[in-house]
PDB file of all heavy atoms in Angstrom:
ATOM      1  N   GLU A   1     -55.672 -72.346 201.955  1.00 90.00           N
ATOM      2  CA  GLU A   1     -57.103 -72.436 201.878  1.00 90.00           C
ATOM      3  C   GLU A   1     -57.592 -72.556 200.420  1.00 90.00           C
ATOM      4  O   GLU A   1     -58.675 -73.002 200.172  1.00 90.00           O
ATOM      5  CB  GLU A   1     -57.725 -71.251 202.553  1.00 90.00           C
ATOM      6  CG  GLU A   1     -57.334 -69.957 202.028  1.00 90.00           C
ATOM      7  CD  GLU A   1     -57.900 -68.718 202.816  1.00 90.00           C
ATOM      8  OE1 GLU A   1     -58.961 -68.970 203.400  1.00 90.00           O
ATOM      9  OE2 GLU A   1     -57.377 -67.601 202.780  1.00 90.00           O
ATOM     10  N   PHE A   2     -56.747 -72.092 199.493  1.00 90.00           N
ATOM     11  CA  PHE A   2     -57.243 -72.088 198.075  1.00 90.00           C
ATOM     12  C   PHE A   2     -57.080 -73.482 197.443  1.00 90.00           C
ATOM     13  O   PHE A   2     -57.598 -73.620 196.385  1.00 90.00           O
ATOM     14  CB  PHE A   2     -56.392 -71.043 197.232  1.00 90.00           C
ATOM     15  CG  PHE A   2     -56.650 -69.622 197.732  1.00 90.00           C
ATOM     16  CD1 PHE A   2     -55.703 -68.938 198.464  1.00 90.00           C
ATOM     17  CD2 PHE A   2     -57.899 -69.041 197.435  1.00 90.00           C
ATOM     18  CE1 PHE A   2     -55.933 -67.583 198.855  1.00 90.00           C
ATOM     19  CE2 PHE A   2     -58.141 -67.703 197.801  1.00 90.00           C
ATOM     20  CZ  PHE A   2     -57.163 -67.021 198.511  1.00 90.00           C
ATOM     21  N   TRP A   3     -56.392 -74.423 198.118  1.00 91.00           N
ATOM     22  CA  TRP A   3     -56.313 -75.805 197.568  1.00 91.00           C
ATOM     23  C   TRP A   3     -57.785 -76.414 197.537  1.00 91.00           C
ATOM     24  O   TRP A   3     -58.017 -77.343 196.758  1.00 91.00           O
ATOM     25  CB  TRP A   3     -55.344 -76.619 198.404  1.00 91.00           C
ATOM     26  CG  TRP A   3     -53.924 -76.370 198.066  1.00 91.00           C
ATOM     27  CD1 TRP A   3     -53.076 -75.428 198.722  1.00 91.00           C
ATOM     28  CD2 TRP A   3     -53.128 -77.067 197.136  1.00 91.00           C
ATOM     29  NE1 TRP A   3     -51.833 -75.527 198.221  1.00 91.00           N
ATOM     30  CE2 TRP A   3     -51.830 -76.447 197.166  1.00 91.00           C
ATOM     31  CE3 TRP A   3     -53.355 -77.998 196.172  1.00 91.00           C
ATOM     32  CZ2 TRP A   3     -50.766 -76.823 196.353  1.00 91.00           C
ATOM     33  CZ3 TRP A   3     -52.335 -78.389 195.270  1.00 91.00           C
ATOM     34  CH2 TRP A   3     -51.054 -77.877 195.411  1.00 91.00           C
ATOM     35  N   SER A   4     -58.571 -75.935 198.473  1.00 89.00           N
ATOM     36  CA  SER A   4     -59.927 -76.539 198.569  1.00 89.00           C
ATOM     37  C   SER A   4     -60.795 -76.258 197.327  1.00 89.00           C
ATOM     38  O   SER A   4     -61.932 -76.882 197.238  1.00 89.00           O
ATOM     39  CB  SER A   4     -60.580 -76.071 199.843  1.00 89.00           C
ATOM     40  OG  SER A   4     -60.829 -74.621 199.772  1.00 89.00           O
ATOM     41  N   LEU A   5     -60.427 -75.351 196.472  1.00 88.00           N
ATOM     42  CA  LEU A   5     -61.215 -75.079 195.350  1.00 88.00           C
ATOM     43  C   LEU A   5     -61.172 -76.149 194.310  1.00 88.00           C
ATOM     44  O   LEU A   5     -62.045 -76.201 193.431  1.00 88.00           O
ATOM     45  CB  LEU A   5     -60.753 -73.730 194.717  1.00 88.00           C
ATOM     46  CG  LEU A   5     -60.964 -72.490 195.427  1.00 88.00           C
ATOM     47  CD1 LEU A   5     -60.290 -71.268 194.886  1.00 88.00           C
ATOM     48  CD2 LEU A   5     -62.426 -72.261 195.715  1.00 88.00           C
ATOM     49  N   GLY A   6     -60.180 -77.068 194.421  1.00 87.00           N
ATOM     50  CA  GLY A   6     -60.137 -78.184 193.542  1.00 87.00           C
ATOM     51  C   GLY A   6     -59.643 -77.846 192.157  1.00 87.00           C
ATOM     52  O   GLY A   6     -59.982 -78.517 191.138  1.00 87.00           O
ATOM     53  N   LEU A   7     -58.890 -76.773 191.978  1.00 87.00           N
ATOM     54  CA  LEU A   7     -58.406 -76.352 190.703  1.00 87.00           C
ATOM     55  C   LEU A   7     -56.838 -76.594 190.526  1.00 87.00           C
ATOM     56  O   LEU A   7     -56.282 -76.042 189.687  1.00 87.00           O
ATOM     57  CB  LEU A   7     -58.749 -74.888 190.470  1.00 87.00           C
ATOM     58  CG  LEU A   7     -60.181 -74.581 190.236  1.00 87.00           C
ATOM     59  CD1 LEU A   7     -60.415 -73.067 190.205  1.00 87.00           C
ATOM     60  CD2 LEU A   7     -60.742 -75.217 189.043  1.00 87.00           C
ATOM     61  N   GLY A   8     -56.345 -77.454 191.407  1.00 88.00           N
ATOM     62  CA  GLY A   8     -54.913 -77.730 191.318  1.00 88.00           C
ATOM     63  C   GLY A   8     -54.053 -76.679 192.076  1.00 88.00           C
ATOM     64  O   GLY A   8     -54.578 -76.038 193.031  1.00 88.00           O
ATOM     65  N   LYS A   9     -52.856 -76.651 191.727  1.00 90.00           N
ATOM     66  CA  LYS A   9     -51.869 -75.831 192.448  1.00 90.00           C
ATOM     67  C   LYS A   9     -52.181 -74.387 192.289  1.00 90.00           C
ATOM     68  O   LYS A   9     -52.314 -73.902 191.200  1.00 90.00           O
ATOM     69  CB  LYS A   9     -50.439 -76.135 191.937  1.00 90.00           C
ATOM     70  CG  LYS A   9     -49.368 -75.269 192.586  1.00 90.00           C
ATOM     71  CD  LYS A   9     -48.003 -75.607 192.003  1.00 90.00           C
ATOM     72  CE  LYS A   9     -46.958 -74.686 192.523  1.00 90.00           C
ATOM     73  NZ  LYS A   9     -45.607 -74.914 191.951  1.00 90.00           N
ATOM     74  N   PRO A  10     -52.222 -73.620 193.470  1.00 91.00           N
ATOM     75  CA  PRO A  10     -52.359 -72.116 193.319  1.00 91.00           C
ATOM     76  C   PRO A  10     -50.979 -71.441 193.097  1.00 91.00           C
ATOM     77  O   PRO A  10     -50.021 -71.845 193.687  1.00 91.00           O
ATOM     78  CB  PRO A  10     -52.904 -71.760 194.688  1.00 91.00           C
ATOM     79  CG  PRO A  10     -52.585 -72.804 195.600  1.00 91.00           C
ATOM     80  CD  PRO A  10     -52.327 -74.034 194.820  1.00 91.00           C
ATOM     81  N   TYR A  11     -50.945 -70.507 192.175  1.00 92.00           N
ATOM     82  CA  TYR A  11     -49.699 -69.768 191.827  1.00 92.00           C
ATOM     83  C   TYR A  11     -49.726 -68.457 192.420  1.00 92.00           C
ATOM     84  O   TYR A  11     -50.558 -67.603 192.055  1.00 92.00           O
ATOM     85  CB  TYR A  11     -49.574 -69.713 190.292  1.00 92.00           C
ATOM     86  CG  TYR A  11     -49.454 -71.127 189.605  1.00 92.00           C
ATOM     87  CD1 TYR A  11     -50.596 -71.797 189.272  1.00 92.00           C
ATOM     88  CD2 TYR A  11     -48.209 -71.628 189.473  1.00 92.00           C
ATOM     89  CE1 TYR A  11     -50.482 -73.035 188.638  1.00 92.00           C
ATOM     90  CE2 TYR A  11     -48.081 -72.916 188.872  1.00 92.00           C
ATOM     91  CZ  TYR A  11     -49.214 -73.583 188.431  1.00 92.00           C
ATOM     92  OH  TYR A  11     -49.086 -74.847 187.875  1.00 92.00           O
ATOM     93  N   PRO A  12     -48.824 -68.083 193.326  1.00 91.00           N
ATOM     94  CA  PRO A  12     -48.715 -66.778 193.939  1.00 91.00           C
ATOM     95  C   PRO A  12     -48.154 -65.739 193.078  1.00 91.00           C
ATOM     96  O   PRO A  12     -47.044 -65.986 192.565  1.00 91.00           O
ATOM     97  CB  PRO A  12     -47.942 -66.991 195.242  1.00 91.00           C
ATOM     98  CG  PRO A  12     -47.036 -68.127 194.898  1.00 91.00           C
ATOM     99  CD  PRO A  12     -47.748 -68.973 193.871  1.00 91.00           C
ATOM    100  N   ILE A  13     -48.764 -64.554 192.920  1.00 90.00           N
ATOM    101  CA  ILE A  13     -48.149 -63.456 192.223  1.00 90.00           C
ATOM    102  C   ILE A  13     -48.521 -62.141 192.831  1.00 90.00           C
ATOM    103  O   ILE A  13     -49.289 -62.121 193.785  1.00 90.00           O
ATOM    104  CB  ILE A  13     -48.670 -63.395 190.721  1.00 90.00           C
ATOM    105  CG1 ILE A  13     -50.097 -63.025 190.681  1.00 90.00           C
ATOM    106  CG2 ILE A  13     -48.405 -64.759 189.963  1.00 90.00           C
ATOM    107  CD1 ILE A  13     -50.580 -62.577 189.313  1.00 90.00           C
ATOM    108  N   ASP A  14     -47.879 -61.100 192.460  1.00 90.00           N
ATOM    109  CA  ASP A  14     -48.343 -59.730 192.747  1.00 90.00           C
ATOM    110  C   ASP A  14     -48.379 -58.913 191.524  1.00 90.00           C
ATOM    111  O   ASP A  14     -47.312 -58.552 191.031  1.00 90.00           O
ATOM    112  CB  ASP A  14     -47.437 -59.083 193.818  1.00 90.00           C
ATOM    113  CG  ASP A  14     -48.067 -57.841 194.383  1.00 90.00           C
ATOM    114  OD1 ASP A  14     -48.116 -56.867 193.676  1.00 90.00           O
ATOM    115  OD2 ASP A  14     -48.449 -57.865 195.609  1.00 90.00           O
ATOM    116  N   ALA A  15     -49.532 -58.633 190.996  1.00 88.00           N
ATOM    117  CA  ALA A  15     -49.659 -57.966 189.669  1.00 88.00           C
ATOM    118  C   ALA A  15     -49.122 -56.582 189.662  1.00 88.00           C
ATOM    119  O   ALA A  15     -48.621 -56.084 188.717  1.00 88.00           O
ATOM    120  CB  ALA A  15     -51.139 -57.970 189.234  1.00 88.00           C
ATOM    121  N   SER A  16     -49.286 -55.821 190.871  1.00 87.00           N
ATOM    122  CA  SER A  16     -48.762 -54.490 190.938  1.00 87.00           C
ATOM    123  C   SER A  16     -47.267 -54.321 190.758  1.00 87.00           C
ATOM    124  O   SER A  16     -46.793 -53.411 190.179  1.00 87.00           O
ATOM    125  CB  SER A  16     -49.249 -53.894 192.273  1.00 87.00           C
ATOM    126  OG  SER A  16     -50.590 -53.879 192.347  1.00 87.00           O
ATOM    127  N   HIS A  17     -46.512 -55.307 191.328  1.00 86.00           N
ATOM    128  CA  HIS A  17     -45.087 -55.284 191.271  1.00 86.00           C
ATOM    129  C   HIS A  17     -44.528 -56.285 190.289  1.00 86.00           C
ATOM    130  O   HIS A  17     -43.278 -56.268 190.080  1.00 86.00           O
ATOM    131  CB  HIS A  17     -44.539 -55.494 192.694  1.00 86.00           C
ATOM    132  CG  HIS A  17     -45.055 -54.580 193.750  1.00 86.00           C
ATOM    133  ND1 HIS A  17     -46.150 -54.850 194.461  1.00 86.00           N
ATOM    134  CD2 HIS A  17     -44.659 -53.339 194.124  1.00 86.00           C
ATOM    135  CE1 HIS A  17     -46.366 -53.791 195.294  1.00 86.00           C
ATOM    136  NE2 HIS A  17     -45.452 -52.873 195.118  1.00 86.00           N
ATOM    137  N   GLY A  18     -45.340 -57.237 189.813  1.00 86.00           N
ATOM    138  CA  GLY A  18     -44.803 -58.235 188.860  1.00 86.00           C
ATOM    139  C   GLY A  18     -44.166 -59.420 189.487  1.00 86.00           C
ATOM    140  O   GLY A  18     -43.534 -60.234 188.798  1.00 86.00           O
ATOM    141  N   HIS A  19     -44.225 -59.609 190.776  1.00 88.00           N
ATOM    142  CA  HIS A  19     -43.610 -60.688 191.502  1.00 88.00           C
ATOM    143  C   HIS A  19     -44.244 -62.062 191.075  1.00 88.00           C
ATOM    144  O   HIS A  19     -45.451 -62.183 191.166  1.00 88.00           O
ATOM    145  CB  HIS A  19     -43.678 -60.472 192.971  1.00 88.00           C
ATOM    146  CG  HIS A  19     -42.957 -59.276 193.456  1.00 88.00           C
ATOM    147  ND1 HIS A  19     -43.148 -58.761 194.751  1.00 88.00           N
ATOM    148  CD2 HIS A  19     -42.008 -58.454 192.946  1.00 88.00           C
ATOM    149  CE1 HIS A  19     -42.477 -57.635 194.855  1.00 88.00           C
ATOM    150  NE2 HIS A  19     -41.752 -57.481 193.740  1.00 88.00           N
ATOM    151  N   GLY A  20     -43.408 -63.021 190.665  1.00 88.00           N
ATOM    152  CA  GLY A  20     -43.915 -64.339 190.348  1.00 88.00           C
ATOM    153  C   GLY A  20     -44.613 -64.488 189.015  1.00 88.00           C
ATOM    154  O   GLY A  20     -44.981 -65.565 188.606  1.00 88.00           O
ATOM    155  N   LEU A  21     -44.717 -63.281 188.238  1.00 88.00           N
ATOM    156  CA  LEU A  21     -45.459 -63.307 187.030  1.00 88.00           C
ATOM    157  C   LEU A  21     -44.629 -63.995 185.894  1.00 88.00           C
ATOM    158  O   LEU A  21     -45.152 -64.741 185.074  1.00 88.00           O
ATOM    159  CB  LEU A  21     -45.854 -62.010 186.649  1.00 88.00           C
ATOM    160  CG  LEU A  21     -46.874 -61.820 185.463  1.00 88.00           C
ATOM    161  CD1 LEU A  21     -48.177 -62.589 185.799  1.00 88.00           C
ATOM    162  CD2 LEU A  21     -47.204 -60.352 185.238  1.00 88.00           C
ATOM    163  N   SER A  22     -43.303 -63.709 185.841  1.00 87.00           N
ATOM    164  CA  SER A  22     -42.507 -64.273 184.806  1.00 87.00           C
ATOM    165  C   SER A  22     -42.401 -65.819 184.853  1.00 87.00           C
ATOM    166  O   SER A  22     -42.540 -66.462 183.797  1.00 87.00           O
ATOM    167  CB  SER A  22     -41.101 -63.653 184.844  1.00 87.00           C
ATOM    168  OG  SER A  22     -40.547 -63.942 186.134  1.00 87.00           O
ATOM    169  N   ASN A  23     -42.350 -66.338 186.010  1.00 87.00           N
ATOM    170  CA  ASN A  23     -42.299 -67.849 186.230  1.00 87.00           C
ATOM    171  C   ASN A  23     -43.533 -68.461 185.756  1.00 87.00           C
ATOM    172  O   ASN A  23     -43.589 -69.496 185.066  1.00 87.00           O
ATOM    173  CB  ASN A  23     -41.966 -68.179 187.655  1.00 87.00           C
ATOM    174  CG  ASN A  23     -40.593 -67.782 188.107  1.00 87.00           C
ATOM    175  OD1 ASN A  23     -39.758 -67.624 187.212  1.00 87.00           O
ATOM    176  ND2 ASN A  23     -40.451 -67.532 189.294  1.00 87.00           N
ATOM    177  N   LEU A  24     -44.730 -67.806 186.129  1.00 88.00           N
ATOM    178  CA  LEU A  24     -46.035 -68.313 185.726  1.00 88.00           C
ATOM    179  C   LEU A  24     -46.201 -68.314 184.247  1.00 88.00           C
ATOM    180  O   LEU A  24     -46.661 -69.277 183.604  1.00 88.00           O
ATOM    181  CB  LEU A  24     -47.137 -67.516 186.406  1.00 88.00           C
ATOM    182  CG  LEU A  24     -48.576 -67.833 186.033  1.00 88.00           C
ATOM    183  CD1 LEU A  24     -48.902 -69.341 186.368  1.00 88.00           C
ATOM    184  CD2 LEU A  24     -49.532 -66.892 186.759  1.00 88.00           C
ATOM    185  N   MET A  25     -45.816 -67.135 183.521  1.00 88.00           N
ATOM    186  CA  MET A  25     -46.027 -67.123 182.119  1.00 88.00           C
ATOM    187  C   MET A  25     -45.058 -68.047 181.266  1.00 88.00           C
ATOM    188  O   MET A  25     -45.505 -68.515 180.334  1.00 88.00           O
ATOM    189  CB  MET A  25     -45.738 -65.603 181.726  1.00 88.00           C
ATOM    190  CG  MET A  25     -46.778 -64.632 182.343  1.00 88.00           C
ATOM    191  SD  MET A  25     -48.462 -65.120 182.099  1.00 88.00           S
ATOM    192  CE  MET A  25     -48.607 -65.117 180.337  1.00 88.00           C
ATOM    193  N   GLU A  26     -43.847 -68.239 181.905  1.00 87.00           N
ATOM    194  CA  GLU A  26     -43.033 -69.168 181.176  1.00 87.00           C
ATOM    195  C   GLU A  26     -43.609 -70.588 181.227  1.00 87.00           C
ATOM    196  O   GLU A  26     -43.480 -71.388 180.310  1.00 87.00           O
ATOM    197  CB  GLU A  26     -41.580 -69.141 181.843  1.00 87.00           C
ATOM    198  CG  GLU A  26     -40.807 -67.905 181.535  1.00 87.00           C
ATOM    199  CD  GLU A  26     -39.444 -67.936 182.225  1.00 87.00           C
ATOM    200  OE1 GLU A  26     -39.130 -68.949 182.946  1.00 87.00           O
ATOM    201  OE2 GLU A  26     -38.734 -66.880 182.122  1.00 87.00           O
ATOM    202  N   LEU A  27     -44.213 -70.951 182.361  1.00 87.00           N
ATOM    203  CA  LEU A  27     -44.793 -72.266 182.487  1.00 87.00           C
ATOM    204  C   LEU A  27     -45.965 -72.360 181.550  1.00 87.00           C
ATOM    205  O   LEU A  27     -46.138 -73.418 180.893  1.00 87.00           O
ATOM    206  CB  LEU A  27     -45.312 -72.473 183.978  1.00 87.00           C
ATOM    207  CG  LEU A  27     -46.098 -73.677 184.231  1.00 87.00           C
ATOM    208  CD1 LEU A  27     -45.296 -74.993 184.014  1.00 87.00           C
ATOM    209  CD2 LEU A  27     -46.759 -73.680 185.668  1.00 87.00           C
ATOM    210  N   ILE A  28     -46.750 -71.343 181.436  1.00 87.00           N
ATOM    211  CA  ILE A  28     -47.953 -71.462 180.602  1.00 87.00           C
ATOM    212  C   ILE A  28     -47.652 -71.343 179.113  1.00 87.00           C
ATOM    213  O   ILE A  28     -48.188 -72.132 178.268  1.00 87.00           O
ATOM    214  CB  ILE A  28     -48.973 -70.287 181.000  1.00 87.00           C
ATOM    215  CG1 ILE A  28     -49.504 -70.532 182.434  1.00 87.00           C
ATOM    216  CG2 ILE A  28     -50.070 -70.229 179.958  1.00 87.00           C
ATOM    217  CD1 ILE A  28     -50.182 -69.407 182.892  1.00 87.00           C
ATOM    218  N   LEU A  29     -46.665 -70.579 178.743  1.00 85.00           N
ATOM    219  CA  LEU A  29     -46.397 -70.344 177.318  1.00 85.00           C
ATOM    220  C   LEU A  29     -45.317 -71.350 176.779  1.00 85.00           C
ATOM    221  O   LEU A  29     -44.999 -71.265 175.571  1.00 85.00           O
ATOM    222  CB  LEU A  29     -45.925 -68.862 177.127  1.00 85.00           C
ATOM    223  CG  LEU A  29     -46.903 -67.803 177.472  1.00 85.00           C
ATOM    224  CD1 LEU A  29     -46.326 -66.417 177.308  1.00 85.00           C
ATOM    225  CD2 LEU A  29     -48.190 -67.906 176.585  1.00 85.00           C
ATOM    226  N   SER A  30     -44.693 -72.157 177.593  1.00 82.00           N
ATOM    227  CA  SER A  30     -43.689 -72.946 177.155  1.00 82.00           C
ATOM    228  C   SER A  30     -44.037 -73.931 176.083  1.00 82.00           C
ATOM    229  O   SER A  30     -43.299 -74.200 175.140  1.00 82.00           O
ATOM    230  CB  SER A  30     -43.077 -73.828 178.414  1.00 82.00           C
ATOM    231  OG  SER A  30     -44.122 -74.541 178.994  1.00 82.00           O
ATOM    232  N   PRO A  31     -45.266 -74.556 176.074  1.00 79.00           N
ATOM    233  CA  PRO A  31     -45.744 -75.374 174.925  1.00 79.00           C
ATOM    234  C   PRO A  31     -45.760 -74.623 173.601  1.00 79.00           C
ATOM    235  O   PRO A  31     -45.295 -75.147 172.559  1.00 79.00           O
ATOM    236  CB  PRO A  31     -47.083 -75.878 175.309  1.00 79.00           C
ATOM    237  CG  PRO A  31     -47.162 -75.791 176.823  1.00 79.00           C
ATOM    238  CD  PRO A  31     -46.356 -74.549 177.100  1.00 79.00           C
ATOM    239  N   TYR A  32     -46.148 -73.317 173.613  1.00 76.00           N
ATOM    240  CA  TYR A  32     -46.286 -72.575 172.441  1.00 76.00           C
ATOM    241  C   TYR A  32     -44.853 -72.130 172.013  1.00 76.00           C
ATOM    242  O   TYR A  32     -44.561 -72.057 170.790  1.00 76.00           O
ATOM    243  CB  TYR A  32     -47.124 -71.371 172.642  1.00 76.00           C
ATOM    244  CG  TYR A  32     -48.530 -71.696 173.016  1.00 76.00           C
ATOM    245  CD1 TYR A  32     -48.922 -71.761 174.380  1.00 76.00           C
ATOM    246  CD2 TYR A  32     -49.571 -72.000 172.100  1.00 76.00           C
ATOM    247  CE1 TYR A  32     -50.180 -72.115 174.748  1.00 76.00           C
ATOM    248  CE2 TYR A  32     -50.772 -72.359 172.407  1.00 76.00           C
ATOM    249  CZ  TYR A  32     -51.138 -72.372 173.828  1.00 76.00           C
ATOM    250  OH  TYR A  32     -52.394 -72.735 174.190  1.00 76.00           O
ATOM    251  N   MET A  33     -43.963 -71.853 172.927  1.00 71.00           N
ATOM    252  CA  MET A  33     -42.633 -71.460 172.592  1.00 71.00           C
ATOM    253  C   MET A  33     -41.831 -72.575 171.999  1.00 71.00           C
ATOM    254  O   MET A  33     -41.021 -72.486 171.088  1.00 71.00           O
ATOM    255  CB  MET A  33     -41.859 -70.936 173.881  1.00 71.00           C
ATOM    256  CG  MET A  33     -42.452 -69.659 174.485  1.00 71.00           C
ATOM    257  SD  MET A  33     -41.789 -69.168 176.040  1.00 71.00           S
ATOM    258  CE  MET A  33     -40.145 -68.862 175.547  1.00 71.00           C
ATOM    259  N   ASN A  34     -42.088 -73.885 172.490  1.00 63.00           N
ATOM    260  CA  ASN A  34     -41.488 -75.018 171.930  1.00 63.00           C
ATOM    261  C   ASN A  34     -41.871 -75.189 170.439  1.00 63.00           C
ATOM    262  O   ASN A  34     -41.026 -75.665 169.634  1.00 63.00           O
ATOM    263  CB  ASN A  34     -41.743 -76.239 172.801  1.00 63.00           C
ATOM    264  CG  ASN A  34     -41.154 -76.188 174.214  1.00 63.00           C
ATOM    265  OD1 ASN A  34     -40.143 -75.539 174.362  1.00 63.00           O
ATOM    266  ND2 ASN A  34     -41.765 -76.913 175.103  1.00 63.00           N
ATOM    267  N   LYS A  35     -43.158 -74.975 170.150  1.00 63.00           N
ATOM    268  CA  LYS A  35     -43.648 -75.159 168.798  1.00 63.00           C
ATOM    269  C   LYS A  35     -42.902 -74.134 167.910  1.00 63.00           C
ATOM    270  O   LYS A  35     -42.563 -74.498 166.760  1.00 63.00           O
ATOM    271  CB  LYS A  35     -45.161 -74.961 168.704  1.00 63.00           C
ATOM    272  CG  LYS A  35     -45.916 -76.063 169.346  1.00 63.00           C
ATOM    273  CD  LYS A  35     -47.423 -75.822 169.193  1.00 63.00           C
ATOM    274  CE  LYS A  35     -48.205 -76.991 169.871  1.00 63.00           C
ATOM    275  NZ  LYS A  35     -49.648 -76.791 169.773  1.00 63.00           N
ATOM    276  N   ILE A  36     -42.776 -72.885 168.395  1.00 53.00           N
ATOM    277  CA  ILE A  36     -42.062 -71.897 167.597  1.00 53.00           C
ATOM    278  C   ILE A  36     -40.622 -72.329 167.295  1.00 53.00           C
ATOM    279  O   ILE A  36     -40.080 -72.181 166.171  1.00 53.00           O
ATOM    280  CB  ILE A  36     -42.210 -70.535 168.266  1.00 53.00           C
ATOM    281  CG1 ILE A  36     -43.633 -70.041 168.302  1.00 53.00           C
ATOM    282  CG2 ILE A  36     -41.247 -69.504 167.501  1.00 53.00           C
ATOM    283  CD1 ILE A  36     -43.802 -68.758 169.007  1.00 53.00           C
ATOM    284  N   GLN A  37     -39.900 -72.775 168.321  1.00 55.00           N
ATOM    285  CA  GLN A  37     -38.518 -73.199 168.199  1.00 55.00           C
ATOM    286  C   GLN A  37     -38.379 -74.395 167.251  1.00 55.00           C
ATOM    287  O   GLN A  37     -37.504 -74.468 166.430  1.00 55.00           O
ATOM    288  CB  GLN A  37     -37.954 -73.478 169.590  1.00 55.00           C
ATOM    289  CG  GLN A  37     -37.819 -72.300 170.428  1.00 55.00           C
ATOM    290  CD  GLN A  37     -37.382 -72.641 171.845  1.00 55.00           C
ATOM    291  OE1 GLN A  37     -37.223 -73.848 172.201  1.00 55.00           O
ATOM    292  NE2 GLN A  37     -37.167 -71.711 172.712  1.00 55.00           N
ATOM    293  N   GLU A  38     -39.392 -75.334 167.315  1.00 55.00           N
ATOM    294  CA  GLU A  38     -39.312 -76.449 166.432  1.00 55.00           C
ATOM    295  C   GLU A  38     -39.509 -76.000 164.985  1.00 55.00           C
ATOM    296  O   GLU A  38     -38.919 -76.452 164.086  1.00 55.00           O
ATOM    297  CB  GLU A  38     -40.403 -77.400 166.800  1.00 55.00           C
ATOM    298  CG  GLU A  38     -40.173 -78.211 168.110  1.00 55.00           C
ATOM    299  CD  GLU A  38     -41.285 -79.071 168.525  1.00 55.00           C
ATOM    300  OE1 GLU A  38     -42.341 -79.143 167.765  1.00 55.00           O
ATOM    301  OE2 GLU A  38     -41.246 -79.695 169.599  1.00 55.00           O
ATOM    302  N   GLY A  39     -40.485 -75.098 164.849  1.00 53.00           N
ATOM    303  CA  GLY A  39     -40.704 -74.585 163.442  1.00 53.00           C
ATOM    304  C   GLY A  39     -39.475 -73.860 162.912  1.00 53.00           C
ATOM    305  O   GLY A  39     -39.147 -73.930 161.692  1.00 53.00           O
ATOM    306  N   GLN A  40     -38.800 -73.046 163.784  1.00 53.00           N
ATOM    307  CA  GLN A  40     -37.558 -72.404 163.292  1.00 53.00           C
ATOM    308  C   GLN A  40     -36.494 -73.399 162.931  1.00 53.00           C
ATOM    309  O   GLN A  40     -35.755 -73.186 161.971  1.00 53.00           O
ATOM    310  CB  GLN A  40     -37.089 -71.407 164.346  1.00 53.00           C
ATOM    311  CG  GLN A  40     -38.029 -70.239 164.537  1.00 53.00           C
ATOM    312  CD  GLN A  40     -37.588 -69.391 165.730  1.00 53.00           C
ATOM    313  OE1 GLN A  40     -36.741 -69.806 166.548  1.00 53.00           O
ATOM    314  NE2 GLN A  40     -38.110 -68.166 165.887  1.00 53.00           N
ATOM    315  N   HIS A  41     -36.460 -74.498 163.639  1.00 51.00           N
ATOM    316  CA  HIS A  41     -35.423 -75.583 163.365  1.00 51.00           C
ATOM    317  C   HIS A  41     -35.748 -76.238 162.028  1.00 51.00           C
ATOM    318  O   HIS A  41     -34.803 -76.507 161.207  1.00 51.00           O
ATOM    319  CB  HIS A  41     -35.393 -76.559 164.497  1.00 51.00           C
ATOM    320  CG  HIS A  41     -34.342 -77.620 164.298  1.00 51.00           C
ATOM    321  ND1 HIS A  41     -34.646 -78.841 163.681  1.00 51.00           N
ATOM    322  CD2 HIS A  41     -33.008 -77.608 164.624  1.00 51.00           C
ATOM    323  CE1 HIS A  41     -33.546 -79.598 163.674  1.00 51.00           C
ATOM    324  NE2 HIS A  41     -32.477 -78.874 164.220  1.00 51.00           N
ATOM    325  N   ASP A  42     -37.067 -76.457 161.786  1.00 52.00           N
ATOM    326  CA  ASP A  42     -37.427 -77.050 160.496  1.00 52.00           C
ATOM    327  C   ASP A  42     -37.138 -76.061 159.378  1.00 52.00           C
ATOM    328  O   ASP A  42     -36.801 -76.489 158.254  1.00 52.00           O
ATOM    329  CB  ASP A  42     -38.936 -77.381 160.497  1.00 52.00           C
ATOM    330  CG  ASP A  42     -39.319 -78.506 161.477  1.00 52.00           C
ATOM    331  OD1 ASP A  42     -38.319 -79.260 161.914  1.00 52.00           O
ATOM    332  OD2 ASP A  42     -40.484 -78.590 161.942  1.00 52.00           O
ATOM    333  N   LEU A  43     -37.297 -74.769 159.618  1.00 46.00           N
ATOM    334  CA  LEU A  43     -37.032 -73.765 158.575  1.00 46.00           C
ATOM    335  C   LEU A  43     -35.589 -73.809 158.194  1.00 46.00           C
ATOM    336  O   LEU A  43     -35.182 -73.703 156.969  1.00 46.00           O
ATOM    337  CB  LEU A  43     -37.465 -72.401 159.092  1.00 46.00           C
ATOM    338  CG  LEU A  43     -37.180 -71.229 158.142  1.00 46.00           C
ATOM    339  CD1 LEU A  43     -37.932 -71.383 156.836  1.00 46.00           C
ATOM    340  CD2 LEU A  43     -37.591 -69.941 158.839  1.00 46.00           C
TER     341      LEU A  43
END
C-alpha cells in the first residue's frame, strides 16, 4: 500500500531491533564512502 505514495521503493526496517537498518544505511551512505576511499587513494 505504501507504493501508492509515489516516493519510490519502500524500505522495511525495525528501529527498535535494528532489522534492515544496516542495508539501508549502506545504500544511502555508499556515495559518500566512495568519495572518502577515492580521497584516501589520492593521498
Side-chain angles (χ1 to χ4, degrees):
E1 58 181 339
F2 295 106
W3 283 93
S4 62
L5 293 175
L7 294 173
K9 178 183 176 180
Y11 295 90
I13 69 163
D14 192 291
S16 297
H17 304 91
H19 297 162
L21 191 57
S22 59
N23 295 333
L24 175 61
M25 297 309 298
E26 287 179 5
L27 173 66
I28 294 170
L29 299 176
S30 57
Y32 301 93
M33 295 172 64
N34 292 335
K35 289 182 180 180
I36 294 176
Q37 293 174 358
E38 291 174 3
Q40 291 175 347
H41 185 265
D42 294 341
L43 175 63

